[in-house]
Amino acid sequence: MMIDQDTSLYGVMGNPIGHSLSPTMHNAAFSAMGVNAVYLAFKTEDTNGCLRGMRALGIKGMSVTIPFKSAVIPYLDEVDPLAKKIGAVNTIVNDNGWLVGYNTDALGALKALEEKICLQERSCIIIGAGGAARAIGFMLREKGVAISVANRSMERGKELAHTLECPYIPLDKTEDTNADLLIQTTPVGMHPHSNRSAVPEQILEPGTVVMDIIYNPLETKLLKMAKARGCVTISGLNMFIYQGAEQFKLWTGVTPPVSAMTRAVQQALSGNNERN
Ligand code: NAP
């Protein structure tokens, strides 16, 4: 790849950021499409500083990950209606200094779920109430799925449940649920703490569909337990690819090379499943 005076810069802001395969995925996409651009990971604690840096340096696009998806909103010039409704932004487009926030997690999750299962007449327990949970919750609600939200902190859990007009379940009371779809959206089980699960094994009934949106490692402890108990499992990989494909489209206007993106991420995960 040739880096020169015309190379555009993109990146991801988050903390921690070492788990992210967004640089691998987007650099593979730029390369496959011959786009003169690079994508870097920025570990930051300064939300506003990061966005000011985007404007000052002309960074063309930014992915936003934990814990900034809601925190970036007040610093943006414009927020897309879906992201506003969700209350979380995972993508920023820099249009000549005018920063616009979008949310592609909802679409990514929807595509990953619908390619495996039919959502009609489902009931779902969402574990977690952060940015990703909000996006998934709004999307499932639009699809008519009967949702409940389980979260560690009661305040955040109840707030999301109230917004989604659904029940809140304390995280240590999830055995009372009988949902046929469980979506795990906390970082528990993510590399390097891959021996953990936020979900107790005993609630995993045979036939339940269990999706863990963590993609590093590809098979989390939760998914291993779910598989062993006869559940249908869905990893976070395809949601990650599809949300990234939507970002690529927003930034470049070009149809994303989904297979090149998938190949690059799979290669990185198989070469170093527990990567830094
Ligand atoms: P976030 O906004 O920071 O929310 C984190 C959520 O996890 C909160 O509900 C928090 O509960 C809960 N949590 C954190 N640590 C916990 C613990 N030790 N025990 C129990 N609950 C805990 O994060 P996010 O943006 O939603 O992202 C969450 C995860 O999803 C990350 O691992 C991220 O990489 C992954 N993700 C994957 C994709 C994909 O495409 N596959 C997309 C987006 C996100 P409290 O309210 O109690 O703090």
Side-chain angles (χ1 to χ4, degrees), residues 200-266:
E201 191 168 4
Q202 62 272 21
I203 73 161
L204 304 170
E205 299 285 346
T208 304
V209 179
V210 178
M211 177 176 182
D212 194 335
I213 71 163
I214 291 174
Y215 60 88
N216 185 6
L218 204 48
E219 191 173 54
T220 58
K221 180 173 179 186
L222 169 63
L223 291 188
K224 281 186 188 143
M225 292 190 312
K227 204 187 258 178
R229 288 178 73 94
C231 302
V232 176
T233 59
I234 304 178
S235 89
L237 179 68
N238 283 1
M239 171 180 170
F240 177 62
I241 300 292
Y242 296 142
Q243 63 79 32
E246 289 299 319
Q247 295 184 317
F248 188 85
K249 217 188 294 176
L250 284 168
W251 289 330
T252 64
V254 170
T255 304
V258 171
S259 27
M261 295 163 87
T262 309
R263 225 173 13 252
V265 174
Q266 275 173 336

Side-chain angles (χ1 to χ4, degrees), residues 19-20 64-70 88 90 104-105 108-109 127-134 136 150-157 160 171 184-188 190 196-198 211-216 235-244:
H19 67 284
S20 177
V64 183
T65 187
I66 42 174
F68 298 113
K69 287 183 182 178
S70 300
N90 77 327
T104 68
D105 282 335
I127 310 292
R134 293 186 75 84
I136 290 170
N151 194 51
R152 178 180 60 177
S153 85
M154 188 166 75
E155 199 186 340
R156 189 134 74 138
L160 180 58
L171 195 54
Q184 194 307 109
T185 72
T186 80
V188 180
M190 186 167 82
R196 297 185 190 161
S197 165
M211 177 176 182
D212 194 335
I213 71 163
I214 291 174
Y215 60 88
N216 185 6
S235 89
L237 179 68
N238 283 1
M239 171 180 170
F240 177 62
I241 300 292
Y242 296 142
Q243 63 79 32

Side-chain angles (χ1 to χ4, degrees), residues 138-155:
F138 274 96
M139 174 275 290
L140 290 178
R141 202 175 86 128
E142 301 243 309
K143 288 279 158 187
V145 174
I147 315 165
S148 51
V149 171
N151 194 51
R152 178 180 60 177
S153 85
M154 188 166 75
E155 199 186 340

Side-chain angles (χ1 to χ4, degrees), residues 25 28 50 55 102 107 132 141 219 239 274:
M25 173 171 67
C50 218
R55 290 188 184 92
Y102 294 87
L107 266 178
R141 202 175 86 128
E219 191 173 54
M239 171 180 170
E274 304 254 307

